[in-house]
Amino acid sequence: MTIAVLAWGSLIWDRRDLAIASEFMQRGPILPVEFARISGDGRLTLVIDEAFGASCSTYYALSACSDLNAALENLWTREGSGTEVLPKNVRSHGRVGWIDSTNGTRSEKAMERHPQTVEAITVWMQANGYDAVIWTALGENFHEPDKAAEPFSEEAAIRYLASLKEQKLAAALRYIRFAPPDLQTPVRAAVNARWPEG
């Protein structure tokens, strides 16, 4: 089974134990992404967001795994904190999205979070001859009470970043600047205007 791993954020420059058989390449599907998720350490991270995301060209690599469950478990582990226990059924957990063309199945959680994106990925998968595609399917969490506690917007993202202490702000800006240069979003433009690289 040939499995493509999609990426648009830190998977590209911080692979850790992600098992891939090729480097990440441009020409992944065009997907709506934005810096709309607050990570555990306070950074704004890129996620698929059909409401606020900018259409961006993503990246892909061939998974070193030929078994879909193994590939999903590998990506689930890479996207976690390192101390979490692997769920019994990684396919239904929701951290990772997937499409399996060999039997026509796909992640229900990804369909709930970003159905149009799943369709776009399906078209890309078929056009590029992969048996399956996997990706990080975490959703926007900006509005949650223990995060920014307000609806996401470009202005709210800048307010959130401005509220961070110096070290956390530096780490958040570093993440945004490490994203590939072709991933241009409204939040990235606003960050560059507010905190120009110097």
Side-chain angles (χ1 to χ4, degrees), residues 165-185:
K165 294 192 185 312
E166 189 175 344
Q167 279 188 316
K168 281 195 170 194
L169 175 61
L173 295 178
R174 187 169 38 257
Y175 176 91
I176 291 168
R177 291 183 175 132
F178 274 17
D182 51 329
L183 288 166
Q184 294 298 319
T185 74

Side-chain angles (χ1 to χ4, degrees), residues 88-119:
K88 288 183 180 179
N89 184 355
V90 72
R91 288 185 187 223
S92 63
H93 183 271
R95 180 182 292 167
V96 291
W98 53 274
I99 303 166
D100 183 347
S101 71
T102 66
N103 61 20
T105 59
R106 54 194 179 182
S107 165
E108 289 180 22
K109 189 62 88 170
M111 282 299 293
E112 290 172 21
R113 288 184 179 145
H114 41 256
Q116 295 168 356
T117 298
V118 173
E119 295 307 324

